[in-house]
Amino acid sequence: MAHEYPSFYSLLSRLIITPCFFIFLLFPLSSISSFHVIFTFASTPTIDISKVEQDQEALALLTWKANLDNQTQFFLSSWHGRNSCHHWFGVACHRSGSVSDLNLQSCGLRGTLQNLHFSSLPNLRTLNLTNNSLHGTIPTNIGNISKLITILDFGSNHFTGVIPKQLGFLTSLSFLSLASNNFRGSILPFIGNLKNLTIFHFYENELPGSIPQEIGLLRSLNDLHLSTNNLIGPVPHSIGNLRNLTTLYLHRNKLSGFIPQEIGLLRSLNDLELSNNNLIGPIPHSIGNLRNLTTLYLHTNKLSGSIPQEIGLLRSLNDLELSKNNLIG
């Protein structure tokens, strides 16, 4: 059976973006000044910011805090005053005094994003709200967030509804996770605008519809994880454009049709999981081009024909599962 793996970013966050509970334990052991240094990136270019803009940033965060469930604000007790860069928990700033990162992973927050005024955070680069109890829809004003933002992680919450097309305005994004929520809307063509994405996680939702052809425009993508949804239709031929992919998880959906020959163009793939779908037809001979594959899961489909000889070219393969198909020979 296919397994869900922790995202690259969740592993990275253990080293760089420390979970809330760990920071809280560390805080009493460090001086106030050293805590500030840890959360300030010295290499960030200086940006002139007026006192008025500083006040706007602080007000935006305090307004959002005030609308969160009071019983879940334990980690935000340091959020007071008019300077959000003055030792506010989970807030990192440029040397200029502008908020650059908001990292509130695993803080038990409960509430919505409706009162978070994204336009008041013009220099934000990271917004990490993963593993909380946030709910409701993603507001359309998400498009007003900083155009500098590169990391947006809303994973492991209780968000619902559709993904607003305004998300497609965030063209600097390299990491986008909307995984493990209750989203129901289709993956819209706007995703093709996010050409700097290297990681896109949208697994464990209730997504209907097909995978748009525009997915093939994400030529920088390394990790595409869309498993455990209700996706239908074929695997798009444009998938062959993603030459930098190392991980492709499309398992546990309702995908149908043939495995495209273009899958053989993904020569960087280490892990290919298409299991638990309704795929038909033969295993393409082009599969033999994937010399870096270590895991190949095609089980629990309706594949037919014989296992191609080219499967023997996959000399790096550690795990091969082809069971529960209609293979012969």
Side-chain angles (χ1 to χ4, degrees):
M1 292 294 293
H3 303 284
E4 302 295 345
Y5 301 98
S7 71
F8 168 81
Y9 182 69
S10 67
L11 295 175
L12 184 64
S13 67
R14 295 174 194 170
L15 300 175
I16 299 175
I17 303 173
T18 310
C20 285
F21 65 89
F22 181 77
I23 301 173
F24 182 74
L25 292 175
L26 180 65
F27 188 79
L29 303 179
S30 303
S31 68
I32 294 298
S33 60
S34 64
F35 184 80
H36 179 71
V37 170
I38 291 172
F39 281 87
T40 303
F41 293 95
S43 61
T44 304
T46 302
I47 300 173
D48 293 330
I49 179 170
S50 69
K51 189 69 172 72
V52 172
E53 290 171 325
Q54 268 190 340
D55 288 348
Q56 288 176 341
E57 290 183 337
L59 179 60
L61 294 176
L62 289 173
T63 299
W64 181 53
K65 173 189 173 183
N67 285 276
L68 295 173
D69 188 317
N70 288 334
Q71 295 180 345
T72 69
Q73 295 184 20
F74 177 74
F75 288 104
L76 306 184
S77 59
S78 60
W79 285 25
H80 55 80
R82 299 173 62 182
N83 185 356
S84 50
C85 295
H86 188 66
H87 316 305
W88 282 26
F89 182 87
V91 178
C93 293
H94 300 276
R95 286 176 297 177
S96 62
S98 179
V99 174
S100 62
D101 300 84
L102 186 59
N103 296 313
L104 297 174
Q105 175 181 341
S106 305
C107 288
L109 301 177
R110 186 163 56 244
T112 73
L113 298 179
Q114 301 306 316
N115 292 288
L116 181 54
H117 301 297
F118 295 110
S119 59
S120 296
L121 302 169
N123 297 304
L124 197 64
R125 295 177 183 270
T126 298
L127 178 56
N128 179 13
L129 301 177
T130 189
N131 196 29
N132 283 289
S133 296
L134 299 171
H135 57 89
T137 59
I138 295 180
T140 56
N141 69 353
I142 188 74
N144 297 329
I145 204 169
S146 166
K147 298 304 183 288
L148 302 174
I149 194 162
T150 58
I151 295 172
L152 185 63
D153 194 344
F154 289 164
S156 300
N157 279 284
H158 304 295
F159 290 118
T160 57
V162 300
I163 304 303
K165 63 182 180 181
Q166 288 82 359
L167 200 61
F169 299 161
L170 309 183
T171 54
S172 294
L173 279 178
S174 61
F175 178 95
L176 174 60
S177 178
L178 303 169
S180 300
N181 281 286
N182 299 306
F183 291 115
R184 294 177 181 272
S186 301
I187 304 172
L188 298 176
F190 75 73
I191 196 68
N193 296 337
L194 307 182
K195 294 183 173 60
N196 289 305
L197 274 186
T198 58
I199 296 175
F200 180 33
H201 289 173
F202 212 164
Y203 58 87
E204 291 180 1
N205 279 281
E206 300 176 33
L207 305 179
S210 59
I211 302 172
Q213 288 287 342
E214 287 80 2
I215 204 82
L217 298 174
L218 308 182
R219 296 174 185 268
S220 299
L221 212 55
N222 300 135
D223 189 345
L224 177 58
H225 196 166
L226 304 178
S227 69
T228 318
N229 281 291
N230 295 315
L231 296 171
I232 61 173
V235 177
H237 292 279
S238 63
I239 203 84
N241 295 332
L242 308 183
R243 308 295 174 86
N244 292 307
L245 268 188
T246 58
T247 302
L248 178 58
Y249 291 163
L250 302 179
H251 54 282
R252 295 181 186 168
N253 279 289
K254 299 175 182 178
L255 298 172
S256 58
F258 293 82
I259 299 174
Q261 286 287 343
E262 289 83 355
I263 207 82
L265 299 173
L266 309 182
R267 297 172 185 267
S268 297
L269 270 184
N270 301 133
D271 198 339
L272 174 59
E273 302 196 15
L274 304 177
S275 57
N276 293 94
N277 280 290
N278 297 312
L279 298 171
I280 62 171
I283 299 172
H285 293 277
S286 63
I287 204 83
N289 296 331
L290 308 182
R291 308 294 174 86
N292 291 308
L293 269 189
T294 58
T295 301
L296 175 59
Y297 287 173
L298 300 179
H299 65 83
T300 319
N301 279 287
K302 300 176 182 178
L303 300 175
S304 58
S306 58
I307 299 173
Q309 291 287 338
E310 289 81 358
I311 208 90
L313 299 174
L314 308 181
R315 299 179 186 275
S316 298
L317 207 58
N318 295 322
D319 197 348
L320 173 63
E321 295 197 18
L322 305 178
S323 63
K324 297 183 181 179
N325 280 290
N326 299 317
L327 298 170
I328 60 172

